[in-house]
Amino acid sequence: MKKFKNAILIIILVVGVSTITFFIGKRIGLNTDLSTSNTTIENVEVSKRTITKTITSSGEISTASTEKLELDTDKKFETMCVEENDAVEEGANLIEYTDGTYLTAPYNLVVSSYSVPEAESECTDENYIEVENTDDLQVSLSINENEIANISVGQTVEISLTADTSKTYEGTISKIDGAGTYSNSGTTFTVTVTFTNDGNAKLGMSVSCKINIEELTDVLTVPIDAVETSDNKKYVEVVNDDGTTTKTEITTGLSDDEYVEVTSGLEEGQTVQVTTVTEQSETRSTSSNSKNSGQMSQGGGQMPDSTGGDMPSMNRQGGDSMPNMGEQTQPSQSSTK
């Protein structure tokens, strides 16, 4: 009989804890990710403009030339005036000789390494200061094999500093590697672009480069977003005078980031419809009913069940309480023989 009662108590506890867990999980606020889309419809007039096709790539600034400056072998070395990685302006002192003269920087540079004798020792042909020229700079770009045919030595490149996009430089393609580098995404070729520093660009800075490979002026264009493709044909929705639209097939040519050339199918002055769909993601929080939350927070309240009724609390005041599992329930002794 004792074992039977204890088993019943264990079952009641398990059911009670499971029920509490269920309601807590159900009533606690839950975060839900909801994706929505925002559709914008705009009417745009077919007009003429300049279309420029460009290639963009990024890279790191490096020096266009390095040099090992020789020390004067007729003099004795006194001390270094600079350290490795120092940026030195043209004319600044690099080393001092014992006679009070100096080896100075022939141009703006960065000291990359040096080999000098001990103090008050004669300089030899093995002594040097290796420097990187910071007046003449370069950037190495990786150009995809599909675009390399449009690249040639001497082309102009617009260079923008990543740290300051308002700062631009005009560079020139000085070298195109004859052999490419293969990867799973295709083969790329290294293209070297050189430019002159104005004092603001530093070695190691990242830049974005834009190369104009083709340009058409005064051509009929529509926004790229206005063009639909179906069965290898291209269409636009032409807006009629009464506000309705007609699906019209067109032929396109050169395009840039925003507009595409229209070679047939439209006339200047017509209006096309541009539909833009923007995906938006938001997180909504669902929280429990304040009344139910208040009931659960009070030890003497009632816990609501899933049917809307009230389930007796496990810690109710003034009612029958559940026996403690740690207490032993003794069976009654009968006096009847």
Side-chain angles (χ1 to χ4, degrees):
M1 189 67 172
K2 175 182 177 182
K3 293 183 178 180
F4 177 76
K5 286 186 176 181
N6 286 340
I8 292 176
L9 292 176
I10 292 174
I11 293 174
I12 292 174
L13 280 176
V14 171
V15 172
V17 172
S18 300
T19 304
I20 292 173
T21 304
F22 169 80
F23 279 106
I24 290 176
K26 183 177 180 181
R27 300 291 180 171
I28 286 179
L30 301 175
N31 289 330
T32 305
D33 290 330
L34 300 176
S35 295
T36 60
S37 60
N38 184 24
T39 302
T40 303
I41 299 177
E42 182 182 6
N43 292 337
V44 178
E45 184 177 317
V46 180
S47 60
K48 291 184 178 180
R49 67 182 65 243
T50 297
I51 293 287
T52 303
K53 185 176 182 181
T54 63
I55 297 175
T56 58
S57 184
S58 59
E60 177 187 357
I61 295 177
S62 61
T63 182
S65 63
T66 61
E67 182 181 3
K68 284 187 176 181
L69 304 178
E70 297 178 353
L71 277 62
D72 192 336
T73 56
D74 293 331
K75 297 181 179 182
K76 292 183 178 181
F77 172 76
E78 176 67 27
T79 186
M80 288 290 301
C81 302
V82 294
E83 297 293 338
E84 288 187 9
N85 296 321
D86 279 355
V88 182
E89 294 184 355
E90 181 181 355
N93 296 331
L94 297 177
I95 68 167
E96 181 182 2
Y97 297 108
T98 55
D99 63 357
T101 60
Y102 297 89
L103 172 65
T104 59
Y107 40 75
N108 295 321
L109 54 83
V110 169
V111 178
S112 54
S113 66
Y114 56 81
S115 173
V116 295
E118 293 182 359
E120 300 184 356
S121 298
E122 292 186 352
C123 302
T124 69
D125 293 336
E126 296 181 353
N127 300 132
Y128 63 86
I129 297 180
E130 187 174 22
V131 298
E132 298 176 274
N133 189 329
T134 56
D135 289 331
D136 299 322
L137 304 177
Q138 68 180 24
V139 181
S140 295
L141 306 177
S142 294
I143 304 299
N144 190 275
E145 59 185 326
N146 297 325
E147 301 289 357
I148 196 64
N150 298 311
I151 302 297
S152 60
V153 173
Q155 271 183 297
T156 301
V157 180
E158 182 181 300
I159 303 170
S160 300
L161 297 179
T162 302
D164 181 8
T165 54
S166 65
K167 194 68 178 177
T168 60
Y169 300 85
E170 184 177 291
T172 304
I173 295 178
S174 58
K175 181 184 177 183
I176 302 174
D177 283 3
T181 302
Y182 174 78
S183 67
N184 291 334
S185 58
T187 299
T188 57
F189 292 81
T190 298
V191 173
T192 303
V193 178
T194 56
F195 68 101
T196 301
N197 192 5
D198 64 352
N200 293 310
K202 297 183 181 297
L203 300 181
M205 278 186 167
S206 59
V207 294
S208 175
C209 299
K210 182 168 65 175
I211 308 171
N212 295 339
I213 60 175
E214 190 175 355
E215 184 175 276
L216 296 176
T217 59
D218 200 31
V219 294
L220 206 62
T221 64
V222 294
I224 291 177
D225 291 340
V227 182
E228 302 176 12
T229 302
S230 177
D231 297 329
N232 294 323
K233 295 181 180 181
K234 296 179 179 179
Y235 302 88
V236 292
E237 292 288 345
V238 176
V239 181
N240 302 317
D241 293 338
D242 60 359
T244 61
T245 60
T246 302
K247 192 172 185 178
T248 305
E249 183 180 350
I250 62 171
T251 304
T252 61
L254 192 67
S255 65
D256 58 18
D257 293 337
E258 298 181 51
Y259 292 89
V260 60
E261 175 194 9
V262 178
T263 57
S264 67
L266 293 176
E267 295 180 358
E268 186 177 5
Q270 286 184 286
T271 302
V272 297
Q273 191 175 84
V274 182
T275 302
T276 305
V277 179
T278 305
E279 293 294 334
Q280 296 178 331
S281 179
E282 61 177 321
T283 302
R284 292 183 181 178
S285 177
T286 57
S287 59
S288 63
N289 182 279
S290 60
K291 177 181 178 181
N292 292 337
S293 299
Q295 290 176 336
M296 289 186 65
S297 65
Q298 298 175 5
Q302 301 291 323
M303 179 180 296
D305 64 13
S306 59
T307 61
D310 292 327
M311 189 177 89
S313 170
M314 297 293 293
N315 189 26
R316 186 175 53 181
Q317 296 288 336
D320 294 335
S321 60
M322 182 179 295
N324 190 317
M325 290 298 297
E327 297 178 355
Q328 296 293 334
T329 304
Q330 298 295 334
S332 60
Q333 300 294 328
S334 174
S335 61
T336 304
K337 294 184 180 181

